[in-house]
Amino acid sequence: MKDTNEMEIIFDSRSENEGFARVAVASFMTQLNPTVEEVADVKTAVSEAVTNAVIHGYENEVKKIHIRCRIRENIFYVEVKDTGRGIENVEEAMRPMFTTRPEQERSGMGFAFMEAFMDQVEVESCPGKGTTVKMRRAVGKGREIWTTQSL
Amino acid sequence: MKYQVQENCLTIYLPREVDHHNAEEMKREADAVIDRNHIKYIIFDFEKTDFMDSSGIGVIMGRYKTICLIGGEVWAVHANARIKKILTLSGVTKIMQIYEEEEA
Ligand SMILES: Nc1ncnc2c1ncn2[C@@H]1O[C@H](COP(=O)(O)OP(=O)(O)OP(=O)(O)O)[C@@H](O)[C@H]1O
Ligand SMILES: [Mg+2]
């Protein structure tokens, strides 16, 4: 099918890989001709999800984090998955300022940032099995409107 | 971590990317400097910074908690539009002033 593309990466849940994950996703995204702002938004959201997998999912143990990206026309999908401890109450976890680690100076803003910077954020989690964060973002919305208007 | 101490004021020159990976070390180093120099004011200098996520918010909030006990303040300088957006969204601007330079 035209206008679709996919990639997957699997890497160790070490904090030094957080930067790698952001850059890998951002460079895959460039084929959509995103604006600087759109790239920054996706990088922030990916950074939040990966950091959560490292800190909360695996509690700093070294296991694998999976990222899967899909492009369908101008929609960018990214999923970040860990097979760590999972989340008991997803709704509560997603509330701004909610954190289970105040002693580690977490501010509880991770999910709030993901929701602010992506069009849609879905969290599937099972205690003891792991967490998958599925995010979606339309890229180049502004340009499309501009093209239709100028015709 | 690059920093400068002038009397009871600490300026922290933040790196290009402030994420969980480099935040941890910054917290440790900053706390040692704050303790040793009786710091009351902290300036976060974002001149070189083009990426920050919630881990950076944790760094700011954590240092503020320490110095607010002695009536201290935290400031942000040289924040670009992106960084300002992150600071505002997080609500950290309730406790931190953003220093705006005059239009050049
Ligand atoms: N992958 C995950 N596995 C297990 N628990 C998670 C995962 N992601 C998030 N959580 C839980 O959800 C809570 C909220 O996450 P969120 O990212 O919003 O805040 P935080 O990570 O605690 O703080 P911040 O992101 O501001 O540093 C976490 O404190 C944690 O309890
Ligand atoms: Mg988080």
Side-chain angles (χ1 to χ4, degrees):
Chain A
M1 204 170 122
K2 221 181 125 226
D3 294 335
T4 80
N5 199 358
E6 297 194 0
M7 77 93 158
E8 275 180 71
I9 47 175
I10 302 171
F11 54 92
D12 281 350
S13 58
R14 299 176 191 278
S15 68
E16 31 300 40
N17 287 336
E18 291 159 2
F20 159 75
R22 289 195 293 272
V23 173
V25 172
S27 73
F28 184 71
M29 186 191 174
T30 54
Q31 59 197 290
L32 283 171
N33 262 321
T35 62
V36 175
E37 177 98 9
E38 285 164 341
V39 175
D41 289 354
V42 170
K43 274 173 92 172
T44 309
V46 167
S47 194
E48 295 299 347
V50 171
T51 302
N52 280 353
V54 172
I55 300 176
H56 307 295
Y58 293 130
E59 300 174 293
N60 299 309
E61 258 186 83
V62 178
K63 302 256 179 77
K64 302 294 177 196
I65 296 175
H66 295 239
I67 293 186
R68 181 161 172 237
C69 296
R70 266 187 308 146
I71 291 172
R72 293 277 183 279
E73 298 184 344
N74 73 326
I75 312 289
F76 190 72
Y77 298 86
V78 52
E79 292 180 13
V80 178
K81 182 179 125 192
D82 68 67
T83 52
R85 64 172 313 189
I87 303 173
E88 296 281 345
N89 184 339
V90 171
E91 204 191 305
E92 177 185 56
M94 291 181 80
R95 224 173 278 152
M97 322 240 302
F98 177 87
T99 180
T100 48
R101 304 239 162 208
E103 78 291 351
Q104 286 181 19
E105 295 181 352
R106 307 317 305 180
S107 57
M109 289 308 294
F111 279 126
F113 280 172
M114 291 182 242
E115 293 200 291
F117 293 129
M118 301 298 273
D119 294 335
Q120 201 183 321
V121 180
E122 261 174 56
V123 180
E124 284 169 13
S125 192
C126 182
K129 293 228 169 73
T131 303
T132 305
V133 178
K134 299 181 175 183
M135 299 184 278
R136 199 182 79 182
R137 172 73 194 251
V139 175
K141 268 186 296 197
R143 261 193 311 281
E144 214 166 64
I145 292 159
W146 181 82
T147 324
T148 18
Q149 279 177 351
S150 70
L151 283 176
Chain B
M1 182 184 82
K2 277 176 49 188
Y3 69 91
Q4 192 179 24
V5 176
Q6 282 165 303
E7 295 182 29
N8 60 355
C9 176
L10 164 67
T11 305
I12 298 177
Y13 300 95
L14 295 162
R16 196 172 66 79
E17 305 202 301
V18 183
D19 65 0
H20 164 240
H21 180 61
N22 51 32
E24 293 306 306
E25 195 185 313
M26 261 165 44
K27 285 180 188 172
R28 271 196 303 277
E29 285 188 49
D31 285 344
V33 177
I34 291 165
D35 198 46
R36 213 180 318 124
N37 300 281
H38 310 289
I39 296 297
K40 189 169 175 188
Y41 302 98
I42 303 177
I43 300 169
F44 290 94
D45 189 327
F46 288 93
E47 170 107 64
K48 296 235 157 32
T49 309
D50 56 32
F51 179 88
M52 182 169 81
D53 64 18
S54 66
S55 299
I57 303 301
V59 175
I60 297 168
M61 300 283 281
R63 288 342 97 205
Y64 175 72
K65 273 192 196 139
T66 313
I67 61 165
C68 80
L69 298 172
I70 54 162
E73 287 172 17
V74 284
W75 286 79
V77 297
H78 300 132
N80 69 22
R82 179 75 196 174
I83 300 299
K84 278 185 197 156
K85 189 169 175 182
I86 298 275
L87 295 173
T88 311
L89 263 174
S90 72
V92 80
T93 43
K94 289 197 196 94
I95 54 131
M96 180 172 67
Q97 325 269 349
I98 300 182
Y99 179 79
E100 303 279 353
E101 292 106 281
E102 304 93 83
E103 304 283 303

